[in-house]
Amino acid sequence: MMLTRSLGARARPSSGPLGPRAGSRPRSLAVAARVAQARREAAGQDGPAPADGAVQAAASVPDDYFLEPLLRSFLLGVGAGALVETGHVLLKFMGVAVASGPALLDALPNALPEFAPLFVWDHVAALGAWVLLYAVEAIAILAVLNQYPDDSQKADRTIRRMATPTKRMLPLKLSTAKRALYALTSLASRRPAAAAAAALVAPAPPALPPTAAAPAAFRDGSTATLERVIEEIEQDAAAAPRLPRGPQLPQVPEPPKAKGGPGLTERRRAAGLLPGQLDPSSTLPSGVGHRERELIDRKSYLRNFWYAAALSSALTDDAPLGVDILGGRVVLFRDQDGKAQCLDDWCPHRGAPLSGGQVKAHASGHTCVVCPYHGWAFDEEGRLRDVPSAEPDRWPKRPLVSSYPVTEAGGFVWLFFGSPDLPESERPPLPCSFVPELDAPGWHAVYGEIEFECGHWGVFENAIDMAHIHYLHSDSFGNQSAPRIHGMTASRPDCWHVESQFRIHNKPMNSMWAWTNTGDSVPVAARAMLPSTSAVTIELAHGVSMITFVNTVPITATRAVNRFCLIRNFLGWDGFDDYARSQMVKILTEDKAMVERLRPEALEREYSLSPDGPQVAFRKLRAEWMKLPGYASRHGLARAPSAGADAAVPRSGDM
């Protein structure tokens, strides 16, 4: 096997009597095949060639990966032993010289026995270094072989390029040493393993032309016929057309088309899937356990729902707004009627951010966002309306930039993440529709947002987790002296949200809280709306109420943002807004410090009790939607399919 490896390094890509080189068996097997055929011809054995299965079996025979590390570590061990011995001898000699002074020659013979124990231990150290260095490299090689059990070429490349400690300490090629060692072992054992293995797998080459000389007879260990075979192969390679070098990608056959239906490629293209992209509607592999599936679903995005892409106050009339959301990036802008519009942020010309450009009215009556790089202008549908450097109308008329449905309500700009083919009548309600107080007279709202450096799931669940407030917010309204939650109930009024009712013992924050004290406990109502919105209503004495309305929006798999609104029916003048906003930010900052440290993936399972009623009910609701075809996306906005949903949207009472 060492012989085939060293000879394979000399081969060049070719096509000839042995078959095409590109994508076929390695050149080392070709050499061994010729040698085996020559041996059969010399022995008068002209049997049929083995089947292709035998070729595959021989191709999978392990290479000489472990021989070179063995030789290299041996040389390093010998060198280490020699250096240590030399150092000990010099140190001992210097010690004797210092102790004896001018009488060194007389004292040296008597001191020689003291050197013997050092020689023994130095050899032990050298042997230990040899074994240790070899073990380290052998373990690394075995790890690569286990990583690529079905790709011998990739395993070979990885092992050859691997920078192991022995290669760094002894960066020399050991081809000569390996050949010499192979020749010695082959002559001693009289068993040419490499040629014998190749003889089992080599295909029968075409018959030699009548003018060709018959192969000379040879014995095991002879090199004359071997050199002749190599020369023939090199001549074949020189005469054959050259094929380009480079990695050969495996050709995966496409499944046969069903009668009367499109093939896999057509179905994926129709669904808007990119090459290599996992179909978000596909089920997870059957080998994935319940806990793994649960964690994957939490990181996934729920499609065909509304997400709060921005605060309405952040979107002005004269400038675009770039927003990172759902694994992608979009640009928001207002048209000439003040209506919010949304496109992908990247200009299709060179990928410049459209959000860095301007918003301008076009002669066609459309409002366009203008790319800051070359001035390309796109309308609300993503159609190209102007290219300053090109002749008028000499550009594509179809939309070049993806557009997304957006609407504005409750002080937020809502983006619909889902299939554009889903009729508006079948889209779910806006999360703000569950909180009529946002637009009701007598209520005052203050807005803000805060980012989290973690996935969106833990951020959202924290908003409907009532048991944590007595500990994370103990210096404000939390009450560790009475943390019990009373009368927890959870229900599902429809297929869009869940509700919980309970009572808590809060702690008065100031004199106003003392004035609104309800006595023993405070009634609280918590609502959780799909995809990831919460509304918690606190009712105090004298008719005082407040609502925390929080939209948790995924940015990426490891980032999220809470776009919130604090709604109150007291002190409705603007001068109180800054204080109310600062208190809300203070509470969310305390949440942020803990939520970013949560590690649910470290748990084999999570245990929930009655105080966790809102989370448990919402998990069940979301899990039912995630199982519907077309509603779970592990890729987000950047690569979301454009095909329609595979199932109708469930209605209230269906789930």
Side-chain angles (χ1 to χ4, degrees), residues 409-422:
F412 299 89
V413 179
W414 302 92
L415 179 148
F416 182 73
F417 168 52
S419 171
D421 300 330
L422 190 65

Side-chain angles (χ1 to χ4, degrees), residues 311 412 446-450 548-551 562-566 580-581 584-585 588:
L311 304 177
F412 299 89
V446 59
Y447 297 83
E449 59 183 24
I450 181 173
T548 58
F549 181 71
V550 181
N551 300 281
N562 268 351
R563 296 193 169 97
F564 64 85
C565 174
L566 179 61
R581 184 183 294 105
M584 189 68 178
V585 171
L588 291 176

